[in-house]
Amino acid sequence: MRYSLLSRFRGALLGAALGANLGSEAPPSGRLGYSRPNIQLNRHPAWAGMAGASAESLIRCGGFDVEDWHQSCVLAWKPDDPSTEAELTPVAALMAILPLVLFYHEEDLIWQEHLWRASSLWSSVGGWKWGLWAFAYGISQSLQEKLSPALAIANIQKMAKIVSLPPDGQDEAPLVEVDKLADLLATKASWDRAVAELTAIGGEKQRLSPVRSGAPSLNTAFALALYSFLSTPEDFRLSVVLARRTDSHRQLTGAIAGALSGAYNGIAGIPLSWQMCARQTDTGRGLVSEPLPVEPFSLSPIPPPTASVSLLPLASRLFAAWAGIYNLNRQNIDSSASIIVPMLILACAPLGLA
């Protein structure tokens, strides 16, 4: 194993945050550079609260409790009036889904079932379910160290045909983008060519389906993010910087590419200068601040969302809950933490070894 599973948990959450923050601003003109970006993780965007609410629900309930999870996400997204359903932004939906996939990454059938159930709670997700599946598939395969770019795109093509069966006579939304994505990866096309061809497909579908105005452009964003990662899987910085160089949905493409590359390369793959830039916030206020003293853990009603979300401690707690640590408050979780695979415990039980 090149990277520990805890490192991949941390890399996925921090990578998504870095990518989304980097995509919140237009890229500089001129050649593609490697200078340190202006990443301001102390802005506490609403989508960061979605990641925290989703993860804390999984930790509190010991798994996916759909009512608790949904209530937590709604409260995090619209704390002033959670009784009314506010339409999620794509980045917020993605950040809510990410902890769910991390928690169930090794159970393919279970994470897919929970993914469809979670996404069905939000009407805005309907037009790009294939993209969410492709994103979750990439995270799951990376955490299991099974991800192969060539095999990944083949499986994404197969699943897109299933997910995209057109209900009510609607068009087969993502198939063109996915097929074009496979062609671009096979020919090792340049980023500029990928952007031009995938954007052209999205524009044409936008013209033919004005009623579903958001879905085509979002399908294009998912395709571009997948291309930026699958074409440069070993280079976190290049994947995220490329994903930023699009005309629309830069936050979404950045978050997808950042999460996928972070899960694949672990937190060690994120440039240290970027991590240091993210840490340069007030103590206890930044998205990646060091953990503060933990208050007693209880199964009380859902607490209101806090003003900040510390992603690295959150990733450690989520990893601990997945690993089955009994008392999350008293366990000091670091990169040397070891785990026991659940199926191994079941196999050893009849022998008296568990």
Side-chain angles (χ1 to χ4, degrees):
M1 176 182 286
R2 292 185 303 165
Y3 309 108
S4 70
L5 191 57
L6 175 58
S7 173
R8 295 179 188 273
F9 268 57
R10 289 173 166 174
L13 281 171
L14 179 57
L18 289 170
N21 273 272
L22 191 62
S24 64
E25 299 176 356
S29 58
R31 296 182 60 186
L32 184 66
Y34 277 85
S35 59
R36 188 172 72 172
N38 180 24
I39 303 171
Q40 301 177 22
L41 287 185
N42 57 340
R43 288 182 287 183
H44 308 308
W47 49 257
M50 294 294 288
S54 173
E56 290 296 346
S57 174
L58 294 166
I59 295 169
R60 179 171 55 249
C61 300
F64 182 56
D65 182 306
V66 62
E67 293 184 3
D68 184 275
W69 186 86
H70 185 226
Q71 184 181 354
S72 298
C73 290
V74 169
L75 187 60
W77 183 243
K78 198 173 182 183
D80 296 334
D81 187 12
S83 60
T84 60
E85 192 76 20
E87 184 172 346
L88 289 178
T89 64
V91 177
L94 188 83
M95 295 299 288
I97 292 294
L98 178 54
L100 186 62
V101 179
L102 292 174
F103 194 83
Y104 289 103
H105 69 273
E106 84 281 19
E107 300 287 349
D108 291 339
L109 294 179
I110 294 178
W111 71 250
Q112 291 183 63
E113 178 185 352
H114 291 335
L115 176 67
W116 301 139
R117 193 170 184 187
S119 60
S120 68
L121 300 173
W122 301 313
S123 58
S124 59
V125 177
W128 36 283
K129 281 187 176 182
W130 80 271
L132 276 182
W133 184 91
F135 169 76
Y137 171 79
I139 296 290
S140 172
Q141 292 292 293
S142 292
L143 265 60
Q144 297 180 74
E145 298 190 344
K146 296 179 180 179
L147 185 67
S148 164
L151 181 60
I153 192 60
N155 288 333
I156 289 172
Q157 281 182 294
K158 294 177 183 178
M159 193 63 187
K161 295 178 181 179
I162 299 174
V163 177
S164 307
L165 292 176
D168 303 325
Q170 295 176 353
D171 64 328
E172 41 186 348
L175 296 184
V176 182
E177 281 100 335
V178 177
D179 291 340
K180 174 57 67 176
L181 174 61
D183 292 340
L184 292 168
L185 287 170
T187 58
K188 298 182 179 179
S190 68
W191 176 250
D192 290 339
R193 177 189 164 193
V195 171
E197 296 190 12
L198 288 170
T199 302
I201 292 174
E204 179 64 16
K205 293 174 73 172
Q206 185 102 10
R207 184 182 65 82
L208 296 175
S209 304
V211 177
R212 303 173 65 203
S213 58
S217 60
L218 288 173
N219 286 324
T220 300
F222 271 97
L224 285 170
L226 288 170
Y227 185 81
S228 69
F229 166 64
L230 292 175
S231 61
T232 57
E234 304 286 344
D235 193 329
F236 176 91
R237 174 160 38 189
L238 183 56
S239 295
V240 173
V241 170
L242 285 176
R244 182 191 188 188
R245 301 178 72 86
T246 59
D247 294 330
S248 62
H249 297 295
R250 286 189 297 266
Q251 270 197 317
L252 179 62
T253 55
I256 297 168
L260 289 170
S261 189
Y264 184 81
N265 295 296
I267 195 170
I270 299 177
L272 183 59
S273 61
W274 288 28
Q275 296 186 46
M276 295 302 296
C277 185
R279 290 174 185 271
Q280 290 173 357
T281 56
D282 294 338
T283 303
R285 296 183 59 192
L287 290 179
V288 294
S289 61
E290 294 302 322
L292 298 176
V294 181
E295 296 181 359
F297 183 76
S298 67
L299 296 179
S300 58
I302 301 170
T306 59
S308 64
V309 178
S310 300
L311 289 183
L312 293 188
L314 181 70
S316 298
R317 284 167 49 77
L318 184 64
F319 170 81
W322 170 84
I325 293 178
Y326 179 71
N327 191 334
L328 298 183
N329 297 320
R330 297 183 179 179
Q331 180 72 22
N332 182 22
I333 306 161
D334 56 27
S335 58
S336 64
S338 59
I339 60 172
I340 294 295
V341 179
M343 295 306 296
L344 180 61
I345 297 177
L346 294 178
C348 293
L351 304 176
L353 301 176

